[in-house]
Amino acid sequence: MPTPPSAPRKPTLHLQHGHERPDDYHWLKTQGKTDPEVLAYLRAENEYLAGVLSPLRAEQEAIYQDLLSHVQERDEQPEVVRGAHAYFTRTEEGQAHPLYLRRPLGGGEPQVLLDLNALKAEEDLANVWVYATAPSPDGRFWAYLLDTTGQEVFELRVLDTQTGKLAHPPLRGLNGWVLAWSSDGRALYYATDDATQRSYRLWRHLLGQPQAGDTLLVQEDDPTFRLGAYVSENGQTLLICSASNRAQAWWVLSTHDTQGLPAPLLARERGTEVPVLTDGGDHWLALTNHGGAEEFKLVRWPKRGDGAPLAWADAADVLPYDEGRHLQNGRLFQDHLLLAGREDGFTALWVLRREAGGYGPAQRVPFPEASVTVGIGPNYVYDSPTARITHTSLTRPLEHLDLNLETLETTLVKATPVPQYDPALYVSEQVLATAPDGERIPVSLLRRRDTPLPAPTLLYGYGSYGLSINPTFVAGRLPLVDRGWVWAIAHIRGGAERGRRWYDGGRLGHKMNTFTDFIAAGEVLRAQGVARELVAMGRSAGGLLMGSVVNLRPDLWTAASVGVPFVDVLSTMLDDTIPLTTAEYDEWGNPNRPEDYAVMAAYSPYDNLKAGRYPHLFVSTGLNDPRVAYWEPAKYAARVRTLAAPGSGVVVLKTIMGAGHGGSSSRYEALNELAEEYAFLQAAVQGRLHPAEDMPTHAD
């Protein structure tokens, strides 16, 4: 095994609320990602990783080929009707990026709107991501938001579909949250960021006019709120939302008005959430937790002619509060309302028929299996009697279905093709772990039927922002599962698998529950004879989870995959000049307050590292990542090495130099990056990784 690089130690002492925090690697942050010393260190880490992987290259290539064998290289996504055309994407064999196309509903050949492969070559780009697309209502123009660095700073390009050329030079420096048209196709709405990449200004741009003349519609000066906007399902209203974690404010503007300014609709009220609101024609319709409805209810307000903001006294329940039903989002149609949420720990859909003066009772959409994941797909035809939905499970590839909103019957539109996959060979199961406070934590399992237990087991987790890690099919898991692994998912608090209480039970002062839930899941897998070697995996906030559980129970894990990890919690949350900080005080707390600082200091992975034995760690980052900056994982890997006692595992750091939070945009490069990680983990559980004998180890 080669000798790892040793990052220079430049002692810094942070002092906050009387608490001293030594930090020898703070220079990786302060010197910046363009600094030659920083870049030299990151490149040295990449060279060390290459050396570690050198004897594993044949294995990595075999895993890559297995990953590729399950990819339908030439494929088309289901068409989505918008106006007079059906829009879809296509991938071609051997091409790394998709093509965007449309075809006329009246007949005719498909038209290529954008070939990302050609664009990448023509403009000599390392990576290309399209975050949003939107045709003008008349279909003449097609707009898209493009990121070429991974920094999530976008340019807006507008294609004139008649000429095949851009309608005007790209608008640059945009946010990715907003892309919407006026009803006449003359105006586009977009958002821009402040210095911290917080969406804070909403603009109207008239086609053919210079960007300098665009109209500012709303500006949000509260640093804990972000602006977003979308067009209502009936196409009549631009709905503008300023949102924090625990409150929203709303404005409205007619999509027919390309000169006016938005009108306030609903004022913000801390603790009162209205995350979903839409235009019902003669009323407004919203999901809210108002009045103690923590799992959310559905309410409506009558439209008033005086333009006055909405008052809660005028709101009437459409779907009263039920603490066993967690409502999350919905889609309004001319004659129906489709809602999505959770019940009994699983995803669910409900349909309400629109009736004179209101809505009928909620009918749950039936599915033959309980442990499936269902959701609302893209729907843009307001008067449609059907809705596009999605359906999947751990063993069932994603299916696109059309749901008859009247009969609740479904019709298969497309089942995702997965070559060389036989679902009969696999089985999904669930076990329950008991957390230290007695809460029962679901753990989903996927394995081959012929896999003998106990087996090497990968335990995946996230546990933040109320995001649920649902039991879905992922072809990228198959190479490990086919090699005799069990793939497990811990549905820990901080997510919303069991509703809003599940989320609230794993954030702010309750954040430690997220970590102890995951550890309990690992322990039950060992106790029940499922896991022999246990590997932990998580990304982003799931990387925070990895750092914390490795600190709390280093003995439990053979290895951990620590992806783009939020591990230096205090340094990040104390710096309000970087992206996401102020907008996430409601998630983690504000460390400028002593009580919040104390909570974070108790679990921040970087600050809680100590001398001891560590498992094998595969740490990864992107140099341009705006969500979790490169310096967090870089500092973490460097400090682990200084504290690792003899007998610790191999620690590697991979930095993708031309990408951000999501890794490379090329599907082939992404598969190869995953194959590297899998080869490392496979070697770890088989005892084939050994640190260099002269690896520096010393305690801070």
Side-chain angles (χ1 to χ4, degrees), residues 177-181 189-190 202 217-218 226-243 249-256 262-266 274-281 283-286 301 303 310 330-332:
W177 281 33
V178 178
L179 181 59
W181 288 89
Y189 303 98
Y190 66 86
L202 181 74
L217 300 178
V218 177
R226 300 172 161 240
L227 283 176
Y230 56 90
V231 174
S232 61
E233 293 92 332
N234 62 12
Q236 301 303 304
T237 305
L238 181 71
L239 297 154
I240 303 160
C241 181
S242 179
W250 291 87
W251 295 260
V252 290
L253 177 66
S254 169
T255 57
H256 302 279
L265 182 68
L266 187 64
V274 188
V276 178
L277 188 147
T278 196
D279 182 354
H283 63 279
W284 304 105
L285 196 65
W301 290 269
K303 283 191 176 179
L310 300 178
R331 188 77 187 180
L332 186 64

Side-chain angles (χ1 to χ4, degrees), residues 323-516:
E323 66 178 10
R325 178 180 57 211
H326 179 58
L327 300 177
Q328 294 178 296
N329 57 65
R331 188 77 187 180
L332 186 64
F333 294 84
Q334 182 171 277
D335 297 322
H336 300 86
L337 171 65
L338 177 61
L339 290 176
R342 308 187 72 87
E343 204 168 52
D344 304 321
F346 296 103
T347 55
L349 300 175
W350 299 268
V351 174
L352 289 74
R353 202 178 197 293
R354 299 182 73 174
E355 300 172 345
Y359 293 80
Q363 301 179 76
R364 183 166 173 171
V365 179
F367 292 96
E369 306 166 67
S371 59
V372 298
T373 298
V374 295
I376 301 175
N379 292 276
Y380 296 100
V381 181
Y382 184 59
D383 61 357
S384 175
T386 64
R388 181 66 52 79
I389 64 172
T390 58
H391 176 277
T392 182
S393 73
L394 281 174
T395 59
R396 189 168 184 165
L398 183 69
E399 296 174 342
H400 303 263
L401 310 172
D402 276 346
L403 169 67
N404 185 306
L405 294 167
E406 192 64 34
T407 67
L408 305 188
E409 296 174 342
T410 57
T411 303
L412 179 65
V413 175
K414 180 183 173 84
T416 301
V418 181
Q420 300 188 38
Y421 171 68
D422 179 0
L425 299 178
Y426 304 84
V427 61
S428 64
E429 302 161 305
Q430 187 177 90
V431 299
L432 292 173
T434 302
D437 63 357
E439 192 71 73
R440 300 284 275 170
I441 312 301
V443 185
S444 297
L445 308 177
L446 172 70
R447 62 180 175 86
R448 284 184 65 109
R449 293 184 185 276
D450 57 1
T451 294
L453 299 179
T457 298
L458 188 150
L459 180 61
Y460 184 89
Y462 188 75
S464 292
Y465 304 109
L467 297 178
S468 301
I469 306 301
N470 294 311
T472 61
F473 179 85
V474 178
R477 298 170 182 158
L478 295 178
L480 283 187
V481 175
D482 286 341
R483 283 169 169 78
W485 287 59
V486 176
W487 189 288
I489 302 169
H491 303 291
I492 53 183
R493 281 174 285 185
E497 282 89 338
R498 288 189 165 174
R500 183 55 186 256
R501 76 169 186 90
W502 209 245
Y503 171 37
D504 289 339
R507 69 182 185 96
L508 296 175
H510 302 293
K511 191 61 198 173
M512 192 61 74
N513 287 336
T514 301
F515 315 134
T516 54

Side-chain angles (χ1 to χ4, degrees), residues 64 78 86 90 100 109 130 194 208 234 279 345 358 478 501 515 536 543 549 579 671:
Y64 173 80
R90 175 190 297 159
Y100 292 78
E109 291 297 312
V130 170
D194 66 7
N234 62 12
D279 182 354
L478 295 178
R501 76 169 186 90
F515 315 134
V549 301
L671 290 180

Side-chain angles (χ1 to χ4, degrees), residues 79 184 189 199 224 254 266 287 332 401 433 670 698:
E79 297 179 344
D184 61 6
Y189 303 98
S199 174
T224 65
S254 169
L266 187 64
L287 294 181
L332 186 64
L401 310 172
H698 45 79

Side-chain angles (χ1 to χ4, degrees), residues 18-40:
H19 178 249
E20 292 185 347
R21 193 161 52 93
D23 186 353
D24 287 353
Y25 302 105
H26 189 59
W27 65 272
L28 284 165
K29 175 181 186 288
T30 57
Q31 291 180 208
K33 68 179 183 180
T34 60
D35 177 74
E37 187 178 21
V38 170
L39 290 173

